[in-house]
Amino acid sequence: MILRGGVVPTVPTADSLAIGGGKILAIGQAEEMALLASEITQTIDLKGRTVLPGFIDAHTHFLQVGLEEISSVTDLSELNRADTLAKLAEAVRVRGEGEWVIGRGWDESVWQDPSYLSREELDRIAPKNPVVAVRIDGHLLTVNNFALKQIPADVNQGQVDISRGILREKEAFAFLRAIGPDAETLRDALYAATALAHRLGITSIHTMLPPDWIRPYMRERGRIKLRVTLYPEIFCLDALETLGIESGFGDEWLRLGGVKLFADGSIGAGNAALGEPFVDSGENGSLNYTDEELVHLVRRAVKVGLQTAIHAIGDRAIEQVLRAHLTAGTPRELRHRIEHFELPTKAQIERARDMGLNISMQPNFVGNWSGDEKMYQARLGAQRDRRSDPHRLVLEAGLPLAFGSDCMPISPLYGLHWAVNAPHPSQRVSVDEGISCYTEAGAYLSFEEAKKGKIEVGMDADLVILDQDPHRVPERIAELHVEMTFVDGEVVFRRGDESCA
Ligand SMILES: [Zn+2]
């Protein structure tokens, strides 16, 4: 296939590509490419549209998105308090008495009354159905009385406020596992999320997931035209140890990235581990592990040959993760990752670089929460807001930095937009840097930089075609359209023709 007459910002001398056998075969001018054509060559006229390497979303909760797509989970994002409750009430109404209603995505930080959803409010709309409403960051949820009767929470845990029906962190994750969807629902969710990814120009994902959600990926491997790198939660370490399965196990469609750990919670849930307290609650958040526990887990993972991806948001959590890597003496070759890295100090950024660590950040967070009158200012104060999510400083320090969405929302163009148009200078990156973070850096973090993430001869023909060049409209990147998506040289999405996925 020849794609001709486009703009290729990463290869300014070229306007055309030849692809075949799933790879990029040649790059150059249209006349040169025409010489390679045979009678079976298909030619697509790009009409001046822009070709980029397919986006690699380096941090997703992919099946969660899929469950929302198939309405197995009610999407509560971008609603005010009253509408959140109204949407849940509607979901209760369409389900039978006693059936579970699961909602996800509410965010009290943008409501007039910024208190968490309460058990009482849910009881009022659902006296006869179990309801769980998960906060946008997934680290906190509210349940009603009926739900608690079916799955009692451990009231002795510090992360449970039973009177308000609020569960955080481990207790929240355990609760969700207990009501997990069945295999068929998960498969449907996987296909729905894949179709959405293709519409957004995503050709590879790194996904964080409970180990018992891996099966649908194995069953549909390669059949879904999406390259998947798995980061199962650390609970599966025993099994990986026994089997001796290390990072990179798998093939180009499905591979094991490493293991996912959580060092702390989130800013929104008020439990990120901070050096200085939250402005609103006066609390410092909490660490999920003692130093000894974290070092022990990291050592075990390294011994098996597993990359770690450790969620660390607050400066105190980041400090603990740096300490753990230092104590464990982790090798650079495993390309250990820190996820989110929202509040690092300058010194921590430099130490992370010196230790050979890699960073995975989500620029949509600054779009959602940073700047005047947003959540970071209310919870952290203006000073910490200004130094939150310092993409620019991380790049300047020379750390490998991959971008992902954390599905808030899943959309590389939205993330790229906010990385380029972030409210504070230390957050802002150039269009080129942003594209590189959303493509080749993701490939690097999954040890696949020789194979994908760039437009070069011999690389995977995973491509996204945009209606305009983001370099020309940097202040409007979020409004650009994905025209086509190619995976393995195949068209998996074409705008206006949604049937070909
Ligand atoms: Zn996440």
Side-chain angles (χ1 to χ4, degrees), residues 377-404:
Q377 282 199 359
R379 301 253 153 105
L380 304 168
Q383 205 196 338
R384 273 185 295 186
D385 172 41
R386 269 198 302 280
R387 61 173 197 76
S388 67
D389 305 295
H391 314 118
R392 157 106 265 118
L393 303 186
V394 170
L395 283 178
E396 276 174 4
L399 278 146
L401 170 62
F403 281 163

Side-chain angles (χ1 to χ4, degrees), residues 427-443:
Q427 299 167 331
R428 245 170 264 150
V429 306
S430 71
V431 173
D432 280 334
E433 288 166 334
I435 291 170
S436 161
C437 291
Y438 241 121
T439 55
E440 52 183 316

Side-chain angles (χ1 to χ4, degrees), residues 59-61 208 260 311 340 406:
H59 187 122
T60 68
H61 300 272
M208 320 290 162
K260 169 82 187 294
H311 164 123
H340 311 311
D406 210 2

